[in-house]
Amino acid sequence: AMAGGLEPDLAALRQELSGPAAVSVLIALIAVAVTFLIWRFVQSRRSSRKAVLLLGLCDAGKTLLFARLLSGRYRDTQTSITDSSATYRVSQDKSTSVTLIDLPGHESLRLQFLERFKAAARAIVFVVDSVAFQREVKDVAEFLYQVLVDGTILKNAPALLIACNKQDVTMAKSAKLIQQQLEKELNTLRVTRSAAPTSLDSSGGPAQLGKKGKDFDFSQLPMKVEFVECSARGSKGEEGDADLEGLEKWLVKVA
């Protein structure tokens, strides 16, 4: 008797579940599930990229900066012909780390080493010699352009820091001036190469730097770009501490 009394209610419930409202709920649940799976996939890919690449021209100070971050101590360096890597602990409790990789800056080596490590890059520190910048600006912009139009780097969009090194020297250019000059030079490179832009990623087509029809600036890139002034040598030379506070804070942020 009780089952018979419930039958109308059960029938109504079955009808409700098979109606348009149920379809809408099902679609919404599927959409949420797909979004969650995509988010997990993106997060897992990002977490698998643990490398912070140190790039730049020869004598920009990458290797000394690498040594200072790891040990805090000054050391004499020479032009690198291969990569160096080490684990860098970024947090106070030492639980968070990244792999710092110092890549050679020599023109004949830098692109092949970038090719080897670019897919693992969570972030890139592009080191600039702030003292020699005025005479090296075209070479700096050329290398940075090659990095920024690389298909893998555009796709993964690692955070990018332009580290304006050697700020302990009186003649060092400021980060603001370096940014302005680089944007100007990169815009010129983009115009001159618009007929046949280059890409380090041979599997993809030519890459466009920035937004077409607008003068280039770093805000147009898919990755977040920041500038910081630093000194791997430090204002007191070999006996003093390096001035890397801005760089260290940035590493904490991107780890």
Side-chain angles (χ1 to χ4, degrees):
M2 184 178 295
L6 290 174
E7 187 60 35
D9 295 329
L10 291 173
L13 181 60
R14 282 195 293 269
Q15 184 176 358
E16 183 69 26
L17 290 175
S18 62
V23 174
S24 299
V25 170
L26 183 59
I27 291 173
L29 290 174
I30 292 172
V32 170
V34 170
T35 302
F36 177 74
L37 289 173
I38 293 172
W39 178 83
R40 285 292 300 271
F41 175 72
V42 171
Q43 289 296 109
S44 66
R45 285 196 62 188
R46 184 178 183 276
S47 64
S48 68
R49 300 196 301 270
K50 297 288 288 183
V52 176
L53 308 184
L54 303 182
L55 308 179
L57 304 187
C58 285
D59 300 322
K62 300 185 304 299
T63 302
L64 179 57
L65 189 150
F66 177 78
R68 284 286 210 177
L69 285 171
L70 294 172
S71 68
R73 295 189 295 273
Y74 179 90
R75 81 174 195 202
D76 291 325
T77 62
Q78 57 188 9
T79 301
S80 303
I81 59 172
T82 188
D83 61 281
S84 299
S85 63
T87 300
Y88 174 72
R89 306 286 177 183
V90 300
S91 62
Q92 292 288 344
D93 59 7
K94 308 298 183 184
S95 63
T96 305
S97 66
V98 294
T99 302
L100 286 181
I101 307 179
D102 175 27
L103 303 186
H106 194 279
E107 186 177 2
S108 64
L109 297 172
R110 58 196 183 209
L111 292 184
Q112 70 183 64
F113 278 91
L114 177 61
E115 184 71 23
R116 185 183 305 177
F117 292 105
K118 65 185 181 181
R122 172 184 291 260
I124 293 173
V125 178
F126 193 97
V127 185
V128 174
D129 183 337
S130 304
V131 180
F133 178 74
Q134 207 64 54
R135 70 172 183 270
E136 293 182 345
V137 59
K138 292 186 183 300
D139 292 332
V140 172
E142 171 76 27
F143 184 23
L144 186 57
Y145 179 89
Q146 291 172 313
V147 173
L148 294 177
V149 298
D150 176 83
T152 299
I153 291 173
L154 284 172
K155 179 182 176 182
N156 292 340
L160 174 62
L161 181 74
I162 311 295
C164 305
N165 193 25
K166 305 187 183 182
Q167 290 291 320
D168 55 292
V169 181
T170 305
M171 299 300 292
K173 300 296 182 286
S174 69
K176 184 176 181 180
L177 185 144
I178 288 173
Q179 178 176 350
Q180 292 171 345
Q181 290 295 312
L182 280 178
E183 287 177 340
K184 182 179 178 181
E185 288 295 329
L186 287 168
N187 189 64
T188 301
L189 277 171
R190 181 179 65 170
V191 171
T192 57
R193 299 189 181 190
S194 59
T198 59
S199 172
L200 296 178
D201 186 358
S202 58
S203 64
Q208 171 68 40
L209 184 67
K211 293 182 179 179
K212 193 173 182 179
K214 292 188 176 181
D215 288 342
F216 173 79
D217 65 69
F218 286 101
S219 67
Q220 297 169 5
L221 296 173
M223 70 282 287
K224 185 173 183 181
V225 183
E226 297 180 58
F227 283 72
V228 69
E229 295 180 355
C230 63
S231 172
R233 182 178 175 86
S235 58
K236 296 183 179 179
E238 300 175 15
E239 302 302 320
D241 294 330
D243 179 12
L244 302 177
E245 183 180 357
L247 172 56
E248 290 169 333
K249 287 182 177 178
W250 182 83
L251 287 169
V252 171
K253 197 164 52 174
V254 301

